[in-house]
Amino acid sequence: MDNYNNLSASEKAQAAELQRMIAVEQQKAQFQAQVHNFTDICWDKCMDRPSSKLDYRTETCLVSCVERFIDTTLTITNRFSQMVQKGAH
Amino acid sequence: MEGFGSDFSAGGSGDKLDANTIMEQVKVQIAVANAQELLKRVTDKCFKKCISRPGNSLDNSEQKCLAMCMDRYMDTWNTVSKTYNSRLQKERSHM
């Protein structure tokens, strides 16, 4: 963004700093949105009946669920990009 | 009711852009949106888990189930968040 011709140098610096801080918050929000999605998916995979404590088995399942979901995303993405590069359908 | 947009001038020094005030508001708005998202998803998941056949009112066992379900959903959220965060760090160190 360089639409700030009417601003002084210090105001421009302030605007740039503000943009940087907002980008950081945006990244945090994106992280949280992703956690919401993973939680949704892995809750369905791993949780039977909610009990009074999160048991060890469920917790292990949740950790694996997140890791394998990310692996799946990477695998599919790679395969898809190969497919696109080859021009195959 | 204050006018629309009054949020963007509150607390600032006159008409000058106050970065700290803006950032506070950005953070609050993100936190509120996050809480709303969580609330929506917990309600959805726990309704499915705990209310198998809706009756005339929420009975005692359903209310107990909902309470536990909500607590476990929070635990799940935290476990997922930790796992995802450490995975991100691992991936970054490999780049």
Side-chain angles (χ1 to χ4, degrees), chain B residues 32-83:
Chain B
V32 169
N34 190 42
Q36 283 174 335
E37 187 63 33
L38 185 62
L39 192 60
K40 192 189 86 182
R41 289 180 189 248
V42 175
T43 306
D44 185 49
K45 293 298 181 194
C46 295
F47 182 80
K48 280 185 192 150
K49 279 267 188 254
C50 298
I51 319 294
S52 44
R53 260 189 130 266
N56 287 328
S57 65
L58 283 183
D59 64 36
N60 208 275
S61 71
E62 285 170 335
Q63 296 207 18
K64 272 186 194 153
C65 177
L66 288 173
M68 278 200 290
C69 178
M70 184 172 160
D71 291 348
R72 295 298 77 72
Y73 199 88
M74 301 300 181
D75 291 343
T76 301
W77 204 95
N78 289 328
T79 301
V80 166
S81 178
K82 263 187 246 160
T83 308

Side-chain angles (χ1 to χ4, degrees), chain A residues 48-87:
Chain A
D48 298 325
R49 282 257 121 200
S51 55
S52 57
K53 223 175 140 278
L54 191 66
D55 58 56
Y56 180 74
R57 210 179 105 242
T58 308
E59 196 165 349
T60 313
C61 176
L62 289 170
V63 171
S64 302
C65 174
V66 173
E67 297 280 10
R68 295 301 79 73
F69 191 88
I70 296 169
D71 290 345
T72 303
T73 308
L74 294 174
T75 305
I76 299 276
T77 307
N78 283 336
R79 208 176 137 72
F80 190 78
S81 78
Q82 279 168 9
M83 209 174 82
V84 170
Q85 273 166 8
K86 281 183 201 148

Side-chain angles (χ1 to χ4, degrees), chain B residues 12-30:
Chain B
S13 49
D15 55 359
K16 261 214 159 174
L17 192 115
D18 181 348
N20 287 333
T21 310
I22 294 174
M23 283 318 294
E24 271 318 301
Q25 287 171 354
V26 166
K27 283 180 192 179
V28 167
Q29 283 171 7
I30 290 175

